[in-house]
Amino acid sequence: MDLMAIMVQSRLVTVEQKEEILENMPQSDLPLERYVISKGYVNETDMLKVMSYYYRTQYVNLSQFTINTEAVQKVSERVARQHALIPISFTEDEEPKLIVAMADPSNYIALDDVKIVSKMSVVPYVTFRDDIEKYIDQYYSQEDAAKQAATEIEGFETEIEEVEEDLAIKNAPVVRLIDSIVSQAIKTRVSDIHIEPFEKVVRVRFRIDGTLVENMQLKASAHSAIATRIKIMSGLDIAERRIPQDGRIETTIDGREVDMRVSVLPTVFGEKIVIRILNRNATLLSKEQLGFSPANEKIFDEILKAPEGIILLTGPTGSGKTTTLYTALRELNDVGKNIITVEDPVEYRLEGVNQVQVNTKAGLTFASGLRSILRQDPDIVLLGEIRDEETASIAVRAAITGHVVLSTIHTNDTASTVNRLVDMGIKPYLVSTATVGIIAQRLIKRICPKCKTPVEVTSDQYAGVGIHKGDTLYHGVGCNYCSGTGYYGRIAIHEIMAVTKEIKALINQGGTTADIRERARQNGMRDLAEEAIDVAKQGITTIEEAMKIAFSLEGEV
């Protein structure tokens, strides 16, 4: 009896649903157990019970299980990957056995290999293959990088010239260390790597879901070789240590094309290095996946219908502006339109879109690129960022001469963007004429779906935002899936201001940011604080995360 037959016999799926599953599953590229879960036919626990019955063994949900790192060390990463398994714990017998989570507990060759390398008796549990792969990445990558740093660190203390020469050898310790750190970062959803020198140690931190987490500490003597290696990779001057430098790295890691932006900053104890990771193969998201509420999605769609004008995305660095910009561009992408972009860097590749990479050293800036683009008969122009008066002026004039211009700008909210453009030197009447809509965005942490738990509100602490005693909110208690943080991933919240006739009139009259914001709210705009509170009420994030957004905007209201 196979898994499908067991599900039908257990009345988890009907015969009709079975036919639909067998017909559509091959197109999904998902295994049966994940396909039925994704379609809502069966939950994870019931599916694990089915797998347990089929393999005649116990099951384990790894996301809700605390993995014993001592158990993990009993088996090498090579064996774990080869057989899709991971040791997770020990039995409490007088002579303990090794408990191993497996995708296929009937694989006796795998069981024999584990028994040989661990020198222990083995108890197999069944679980999902993708969960096993995730935790192999998490536990073995971290262990390997730390072990490598600990055993080979003394070899790093050397002169720059020696390091540069040695780096031609791919197996040089510093080369393998940097590759290991970057590879681990990519596997664990890291957006930035921080390498920070102090008096006695070099600290390596990862930014995951917006929060910095310490990954490892190395000896201070390692810093010179690490900095030199990264400078060589990013084309920077290895002899210059007194001034900041910026560079980029293009490479392929584990079959993925990755762009990395590198920033080097001199500090008291050496050069602090920050590497921002940009995944070229990242999947573009739909408006729903980005987090647009139904009301905001409707306004967004109306803005995108404009035949000409500027649509601006605003928010701090790392708030997902570019992702939202590309979602808009994908909506507008059509074979009948000439779409050209100027970006630094090109973060996503879009079929049918002409994308230009800024090259400042060669004289190709946002402004010069935009001038050239306007001679290419474009219908839609995407400008990575408006940074100065020259770029803003060209973008505005492009918008009022019949082009749709999409761009980003660094301001706190929608209303203040208007005065930011005016401060750049753009006349108010040009701002009002050119601007179609402004979207402010923030990223807010999602509660981990594996350990999400309801919590009853016990006081009226949040009564001011419409949450009262007795209401139900949610939080994550922490599990393996979210590395104990209670959060997994982020979602965007938006404040969208359509530049209506009333707002255009206010801009022409020199209206203040407060005046423009008030008029936009009267027109139906919901601000970022309101959106954040709503996301908490829906159980997507915690009230604590929502209040961080609300408090950070208090001074701007």
Side-chain angles (χ1 to χ4, degrees):
M1 186 180 294
D2 59 16
L3 291 175
M4 180 60 76
I6 296 171
M7 284 189 281
V8 173
Q9 187 181 67
S10 305
R11 298 183 180 178
L12 293 171
V13 299
T14 65
V15 175
E16 292 77 14
Q17 289 171 335
K18 171 187 172 182
E19 298 303 322
E20 186 278 329
I21 292 168
L22 295 177
E23 181 181 351
N24 296 324
M25 188 186 71
Q27 287 78 47
S28 72
D29 292 328
L30 290 173
L32 173 63
E33 58 270 23
R34 280 303 184 192
Y35 180 80
V36 295
I37 291 170
S38 70
K39 291 298 180 181
Y41 295 125
V42 181
N43 61 39
E44 283 193 347
T45 301
D46 285 340
M47 189 66 239
L48 285 169
K49 288 178 180 177
V50 169
M51 294 163 66
S52 173
Y53 180 83
Y54 176 75
Y55 286 108
R56 298 292 193 270
T57 188
Q58 295 187 64
Y59 70 86
V60 60
N61 188 336
L62 290 181
S63 65
Q64 299 173 5
F65 187 90
T66 302
I67 294 177
N68 186 326
T69 54
E70 290 184 16
V72 175
Q73 293 166 8
K74 290 290 183 181
V75 175
S76 69
E77 181 179 0
R78 182 188 63 79
V79 171
R81 290 193 186 279
Q82 180 182 349
H83 297 303
L85 57 84
I86 184 168
I88 58 173
S89 190
F90 303 98
T91 64
E92 296 181 358
D93 302 336
E94 186 175 334
E95 188 175 337
K97 299 181 179 67
L98 184 65
I99 300 174
V100 179
M102 306 178 67
D104 180 8
S106 65
N107 184 344
Y108 294 107
I109 295 175
L111 291 171
D112 286 343
D113 282 355
V114 172
K115 187 174 182 179
I116 291 168
V117 298
S118 67
K119 298 180 175 60
M120 296 182 70
S121 297
V122 179
V123 179
Y125 281 32
V126 68
T127 194
F128 301 114
R129 179 181 292 269
D130 56 345
D131 277 357
I132 291 172
E133 292 170 351
K134 177 182 184 298
Y135 292 112
I136 287 175
D137 287 344
Q138 178 178 325
Y139 282 87
Y140 284 103
S141 295
Q142 184 172 357
E143 177 192 357
D144 288 350
K147 188 183 295 183
Q148 188 173 13
T151 57
E152 300 178 350
I153 197 69
E154 287 78 10
F156 292 162
E157 192 166 12
T158 182
E159 294 298 320
I160 287 180
E161 290 77 13
E162 294 175 14
V163 172
E164 185 178 6
E165 184 178 347
D166 192 36
L167 292 179
I169 305 170
K170 193 168 184 178
N171 287 326
V174 67
V175 175
R176 286 187 279 120
L177 176 65
I178 299 301
D179 287 351
S180 177
I181 290 172
V182 173
S183 177
Q184 182 191 353
I186 291 169
K187 290 174 181 177
T188 49
R189 304 178 296 111
V190 170
S191 61
D192 301 87
I193 302 169
H194 291 240
I195 300 173
E196 304 162 313
F198 295 98
E199 186 176 5
K200 297 180 180 179
V201 298
V202 176
R203 181 172 66 178
V204 179
R205 292 193 292 172
F206 289 168
R207 188 176 293 280
I208 304 174
D209 295 336
T211 301
L212 281 170
V213 178
E214 184 170 303
N215 178 261
M216 66 175 72
Q217 288 192 358
L218 309 171
K219 290 184 180 179
S221 58
H223 180 262
S224 176
I226 291 172
T228 301
R229 168 60 180 163
I230 293 172
K231 284 181 178 180
I232 291 171
M233 292 173 70
S234 52
L236 302 180
D237 184 353
I238 61 173
E240 181 57 75
R241 300 180 179 180
R242 300 164 299 171
I243 61 174
Q245 296 188 69
D246 294 309
R248 64 180 301 165
I249 301 169
E250 295 185 15
T251 187
T252 301
I253 295 178
D254 295 335
R256 294 184 243 187
E257 290 185 335
V258 180
D259 280 351
M260 292 177 279
R261 282 188 280 183
V262 178
S263 173
V264 178
L265 179 71
T267 68
V268 173
F269 295 109
E271 293 170 302
K272 172 179 164 62
I273 302 166
V274 175
I275 304 172
R276 168 154 287 191
I277 298 172
L278 307 169
N279 187 355
R280 283 189 197 169
N281 299 326
T283 305
L284 287 177
L285 304 176
S286 67
K287 294 194 293 292
E288 294 78 10
Q289 289 172 316
L290 281 176
F292 279 98
S293 65
N296 278 340
E297 186 177 339
K298 185 177 179 180
I299 301 171
F300 185 62
D301 288 339
E302 288 299 318
I303 289 172
L304 291 183
K305 290 177 183 176
E308 59 187 49
I310 294 181
I311 300 170
L312 289 172
L313 267 292
T314 178
T317 301
S319 60
K321 298 187 298 295
T322 302
T323 303
T324 301
L325 206 59
Y326 265 86
T327 298
L329 196 61
R330 186 172 59 178
E331 295 271 327
L332 297 169
N333 194 2
D334 181 85
V335 72
K337 294 175 182 175
N338 179 20
I339 303 176
I340 308 179
T341 75
V342 186
E343 306 166 70
D344 184 24
V346 175
E347 292 189 29
Y348 298 94
R349 305 296 169 92
L350 267 184
E351 189 72 28
V353 175
N354 304 284
Q355 296 173 275
V356 178
Q357 169 71 53
V358 165
N359 186 340
T360 307
K361 292 181 180 177
L364 178 54
T365 63
F366 281 116
S368 64
L370 185 52
R371 281 198 197 92
S372 299
I373 280 176
L374 296 177
R375 293 192 286 271
Q376 290 276 319
D377 184 33
D379 297 297
I380 299 169
V381 175
L382 186 149
L383 186 61
E385 184 180 346
I386 293 178
R387 297 178 178 175
D388 50 45
E389 180 183 352
E390 184 183 13
T391 309
S393 179
I394 301 169
V396 166
R397 295 189 183 282
I400 62 178
T401 53
H403 304 90
V404 173
V405 180
L406 304 174
S407 190
T408 69
I409 189 168
H410 287 287
T411 56
N412 288 324
D413 61 7
T414 54
S416 61
T417 303
V418 172
N419 286 326
R420 172 73 177 125
L421 290 171
V422 173
D423 288 343
M424 281 183 169
I426 310 300
K427 300 293 185 185
Y429 77 90
L430 287 175
V431 175
S432 67
T433 303
T435 311
V436 174
I438 305 171
I439 303 161
Q441 178 168 308
R442 297 288 191 280
L443 292 179
I444 195 165
K445 293 180 184 178
R446 285 180 182 267
I447 298 172
C448 173
K450 304 288 187 180
C451 60
K452 182 176 177 179
T453 305
V455 177
E456 184 178 327
V457 179
T458 57
S459 71
D460 281 326
Q461 177 184 357
Y462 302 113
V465 295
I467 297 173
H468 303 280
K469 184 177 179 179
D471 289 348
T472 299
L473 295 173
Y474 292 85
H475 80 294
V477 296
C479 64
N480 272 342
Y481 189 73
C482 60
S483 301
T485 64
Y487 298 99
Y488 191 91
R490 291 184 290 176
I491 189 171
I493 56 172
H494 305 89
E495 173 182 296
I496 305 182
M497 182 176 79
V499 182
T500 60
K501 290 180 180 179
E502 296 91 342
I503 291 176
K504 287 179 185 291
L506 265 178
I507 295 171
N508 289 334
Q509 295 162 15
T512 65
T513 296
D515 293 335
I516 294 170
R517 182 185 294 111
E518 182 58 33
R519 173 56 66 181
R521 288 173 64 87
Q522 290 172 10
N523 290 345
M525 182 185 82
R526 291 174 55 79
D527 65 32
L528 287 165
E530 290 174 305
E531 288 292 310
I533 298 300
D534 269 2
V535 169
K537 289 178 179 178
Q538 294 167 33
I540 297 171
T541 191
T542 60
I543 187 61
E544 291 80 12
E545 284 298 307
M547 293 307 290
K548 286 179 186 178
I549 297 288
F551 282 133
S552 70
L553 295 169
E554 273 191 347
E556 302 163 16
V557 177

